[in-house]
Amino acid sequence: MKTEQDAYLTLAALCAQAEHCQWEMLEKMRRWELPEEAQARVMERLVKEHYVDDERFTRAFVKDKIRYNKWGRRKVEQALWQKRIDNDIRQRVLDDVDDEEYLTVLQPLLKQKRKSTKAQSDYELNQKLIRFALGRGFTFDIIRQCLNVEDIEEEYEGTMVD
C-alpha cells in the first residue's frame, strides 16, 4: 500500500508524461487502497498544480482518437463517458470539432473498405459501408456525405475517356 506522498509523486510523474483525467487517477488510488480522504487531498493537489485538467485531457483525447484511431463522434463520446468526463466538458469539446475533420478521416477509410468489401449490388455495398462506419462511431449524416461524394467521384471516373 502506498502512502499519500508516494501516491502524489507517482501520479504527478505519470501526469507529467501524458494527459490523464481525474477518474483515471482516482481509479489508480483505489487500486492502491489509499483511504478516501487521502485520495481527495491528492486529487485536489494534482488539480491545483495543473497536473490533471479534465478539459485539457478531453481535448487531447478527442484529437488523438479522431486522427489516429479514426473514430467518429459517437465512439469518442462513449469513451469519454466511460472515463466519467463531465457532460458539459464532453459536449463543448466535441462541438468544437468541425465536420470537415470527420469527413477527412472517414472518406479514405470508406474508400479503402470499399475496395476490400464484396457485395452483390451497390445497395448491398453501401449497406456494408454504412454498418462499418457506424461501428467506428460516425454519425449517419457524415456517412451519407462521404458515400454521396464517393458515388459522384465514381460516376465521374466512369465517364472519363482515355
Side-chain angles (χ1 to χ4, degrees), residues 28-73:
K28 287 191 182 302
M29 289 187 279
R30 280 186 207 113
R31 279 189 301 232
W32 296 336
E33 298 176 0
L34 202 62
E36 284 192 31
E37 306 82 41
Q39 288 179 28
R41 287 191 298 269
V42 170
M43 199 68 241
E44 184 180 329
R45 191 171 167 194
L46 288 170
V47 170
K48 189 177 105 192
E49 295 176 8
H50 301 289
Y51 282 108
V52 175
D53 180 341
D54 277 354
E55 185 161 348
R56 189 179 64 214
F57 165 81
T58 303
R59 290 194 184 285
F61 185 86
V62 167
K63 187 176 98 178
D64 285 353
K65 293 303 176 192
I66 292 171
R67 288 189 184 152
Y68 302 116
N69 294 46
K70 304 195 183 319
W71 286 5
R73 180 185 173 106

Side-chain angles (χ1 to χ4, degrees), residues 100-121:
E100 281 300 314
E101 198 160 341
Y102 293 117
L103 290 169
T104 303
V105 169
L106 185 57
Q107 284 173 337
L109 263 179
L110 287 177
K111 196 169 196 166
Q112 184 179 1
K113 186 70 174 171
R114 184 182 289 265
K115 290 176 187 173
S116 66
T117 303
K118 292 178 175 39
Q120 301 292 325
S121 66

